[in-house]
Amino acid sequence: MKTNQNPILSFLLLLLILSGVFYFMMPQKYDTTEASLAEFSTKRALEKVKTISQKPHFVGSKNHEVIAQYLVNELKNLGLSPTIQEGFTLSDGGTLVKSKNIVAKIKGNSSNKALLLLSHYDSAPHSFSPGASDDASGVATILESVRAFLYNKTQHKNDILILFSDAEELGLNGAALFVTQHQLAKEVGLVLNFEARGSSGPSYMLMETNKGNANMVKAFIDGKADYPVSNSLMYSIYKMLPNDTDLTVFRESGKIQGFNFAFIDNHFNYHTEKDNFENLNPNTLAHQGSYLFPLLNHFANADLSNLDSDDDDVYFNIPLAFVSYPFSWIVPMLIIGFVLVFTFVFIGFGKHVLRIDEVLKGFIPLLLSLIVAGGITYIGWRLLLEFYPQYQDILHKFTYNGHDYIYAFVSLSIAICFLFYQNSGKRNSEMNQFFAPLFLWLLLNIGIAIYLKGAAFLIIPVISSALMLGIYVLTQKSNWLINCILAIPTLIIIAPFIQMFPIGLGLQLLFGSAILTVLAFGLLVPVFGSFSKKVIWSAVFFLLSIGLFVKAHQTSDYTAERPKPNSLVYLHDANTNKSYWTTYDKNLDEWTKGYLGENPKEASALNTNKLYSKYGSQFTFMNDTPNKNIATPTIEFLRDTLQGNQRLYSIKITPNRAVNRYDVFNANNAKLHNLVANGAKAIDFKSNISGSNSGKILSYYIVDNEPLILNFSISKNDKLDLNLVESSFDLLSNPQFTVTKRKDWMISTPFVLNNAIVIRQKIKPTPVLEDNPKPQLYRRNVASRDSLSVRNDSLR
Ligand SMILES: [Zn+2]
């Protein structure tokens, strides 16, 4: 008998279902005409994004203050009375900054716990990011949702707090300031945080819970968001990313739980000039609004005091809905999977519709497909990096043509599957071959049930596909339509991960997509395996793959739409009185070569005091250049006394030019005790930011040129040996330099100190003030020192 007479129809039906899975993941349009004032309007939110993202507004920039004032006014326009919370914090990773939070409160009728709406308003420093997605999109989502909420005069029990936090990009400092020092922090029962790590794609809900998630999952479901996209495996993946959000601080320091809503696609735009209004996908912003507006209305009246739970749930989204079940179901479902698969196989043997030797042979095409597809993709991506060395310039590890490579390698993997799943002309050989993938999936699910319970929903496609085998062994017939219907769980649950892994974690994980493609193909063997002329199917997918590689090749160059990131720093070593041009780039271009020359030296000598960068980037090349007359900071030892077996220090570092950042390093292993910086106590350093053995004590991001005052002690047997790195972000605008503008096909490399004038020196007292080349600047600093005296008193 023929099992499948409709390969084309099967294929088209599966394609249609797959399109639906992605189509219904997020809104596909937004209101382009004037929407009702009673509703969230993406169009109105976009106008706010446009205003906020006109210019970079990183902490310490002029425009940062402009945006802060704009947001205060926006909240006032809503009839609220915003307040400013300002103060220094020294965060987990050693980031010191005076941040300025904007806080507003909408009083509820009988509040027990408050709902906090959170987004940060600072943009990333160093790389001229206008911060349209990150995080004007979040701020605008909140402003527009609150506007509609107030317009409707919604009655609500809970207080609603709005926090536009500051300095998220530097070290989550604004959130830390709020959680540790704001009196309202104690009232918060739940946080909704809006974030971005790209500029398009669906927004994923990522939960932050300290204990079990069961009540949080239930609360989220009760909120009835239109396009919920989340699953319990995603949170585990999220924790693997080198990203924290403000909500991490709430959870860790404040024991406050919450939901993040973050979009991550087109990661290459993140923290660059290209994080601009034009690149923010309006449908993505509509997705953020589609979360907040219903959730705000729900949580404004929900009980926020019982979100803690000891139980955990497995959860995942299906188109337009959300499914969850308790962890206690994991083992029973796994047992059901085993029982079904083995019962059907033994029935098949009994009825002689399956043969044990053919079933065992089924492992050959599966393992060959896994090894070849996974191996070719793994090696293939590395070869592509050799062939296109420019891909290394994109530190995000997701190139402009990254999506093409995902589809190309997935197509190639499918081609490989069709090639190895040739049947020898034997009747229904695909049903014999089907046991192998089902068995492998069952083994994987044993591992998941033990080590990665959040991924336990992956048993569902296995159970569904097992039914294809069941129907066949019981009826000796296989219906293409029923098989396609039973394939739906695989398409809904597994297919999105094939795309999400490399988007979320970088293209170096493309081989993961290839392996997952083969595993998904395995669950659909009764469908695809029954196709006749599989060589042709293989050839079609192979050609499709080639076409996609060609397409990727055609967009592998740099243009104004796909600009090359590059970096340039002027570095003066005050200890040796030498100056250098230096860069983080591996591939120099005509702009960087203009300063570094055609044959620059390796820059390892400059990497002794490693400045923090997200991906551990170091200076690559350097070139000598004449000294400029750059004012070095004034370093005063306000205190240097012996007390018992401790030597007590108070050191004041005052800039003598407009600067943005101080990094202080410990040049020997002397342990610093009781460090207090500008009145802020050090939190125990445990973050990976400080763990690079670079001896970094802190990074101080400077606002209004306010001096740095360090108080600490060391053992009297130790010798104090500190290094200071002073940076200003004005290399392109400083009148002492004539650095030309980047070409239109270049942007500043994100995540590294860039476009900066840097001075490195030992921290030694500067005894003679007359040496100071700019006495008028010094006088200004004297004035600011007076304004500091209040804080100084509180230090002592
Ligand atoms: Zn952000």
Side-chain angles (χ1 to χ4, degrees), residues 41-54 67 70-71 74 77-78 132 136-137 139-145 147 277 285:
S41 155
T42 304
K43 186 167 173 261
R44 285 190 286 263
L46 278 171
E47 285 160 18
K48 304 210 186 310
V49 173
K50 196 169 191 177
T51 307
I52 297 168
S53 63
Q54 273 165 6
I67 297 304
Y70 167 77
L71 295 178
E74 284 292 304
N77 291 343
L78 294 175
S137 70
V139 171
T141 300
I142 292 175
L143 282 174
E144 171 58 13
S145 298
R147 184 207 56 73
F277 179 73
L285 185 62

Side-chain angles (χ1 to χ4, degrees), residues 120 134-135 168-169 195-196 270-271:
H120 69 87
D134 181 18
D135 199 7
E168 190 273 350
E169 299 293 0
E195 260 291 6
Y270 179 55
H271 283 196

Side-chain angles (χ1 to χ4, degrees), residues 558-573:
Y558 290 119
T559 63
E561 287 75 44
R562 306 182 294 271
K564 175 188 191 291
N566 59 17
S567 59
L568 186 65
V569 166
Y570 171 88
L571 191 149
H572 175 67
D573 190 328

Side-chain angles (χ1 to χ4, degrees), residues 490-507:
T490 298
L491 299 178
I492 288 181
I493 293 176
I494 300 173
F497 279 108
I498 294 176
Q499 193 194 35
M500 204 193 93
F501 272 126
I503 286 177
L505 300 169
L507 292 173

Side-chain angles (χ1 to χ4, degrees), residues 340-368:
L340 285 179
V341 170
F342 280 89
T343 306
F344 293 148
V345 166
F346 284 116
I347 292 174
F349 290 154
K351 292 193 168 192
H352 301 290
V353 289
L354 297 179
R355 281 178 46 178
I356 192 152
D357 55 333
E358 293 294 321
V359 163
L360 290 177
K361 273 192 222 160
F363 282 94
I364 297 170
L366 176 67
L367 295 178
L368 281 175

Side-chain angles (χ1 to χ4, degrees), residues 178-282:
F178 182 84
V179 172
T180 58
Q181 293 176 36
H182 204 291
Q183 53 178 8
L184 288 174
K186 288 174 204 71
E187 295 179 17
V188 178
L190 180 70
V191 184
L192 305 181
N193 182 34
F194 292 81
E195 260 291 6
R197 197 222 58 174
S199 59
S200 75
S203 170
Y204 298 98
M205 183 278 279
L206 296 156
M207 217 178 276
E208 295 256 7
T209 53
N210 278 316
K211 295 203 289 175
N213 66 26
N215 288 357
M216 287 286 281
V217 171
K218 189 178 176 308
F220 179 70
I221 292 172
D222 290 346
K224 294 194 177 67
D226 288 337
Y227 299 89
V229 184
S230 187
N231 59 65
S232 38
L233 172 57
M234 208 177 275
Y235 183 69
S236 314
I237 295 172
Y238 163 66
K239 294 310 287 177
M240 285 154 61
L241 298 170
N243 298 303
D244 281 331
T245 68
D246 276 346
L247 198 39
T248 317
V249 179
F250 278 81
R251 179 176 56 75
E252 286 185 1
S253 302
K255 309 280 171 255
I256 301 166
Q257 311 187 94
F259 301 105
N260 287 298
F261 300 92
F263 49 97
I264 63 173
D265 207 348
N266 286 359
H267 187 29
F268 40 73
N269 289 327
Y270 179 55
H271 283 196
T272 75
E273 270 164 67
K274 290 284 174 184
D275 183 3
N276 56 23
F277 179 73
E278 290 70 27
N279 284 327
L280 168 62
N281 182 343

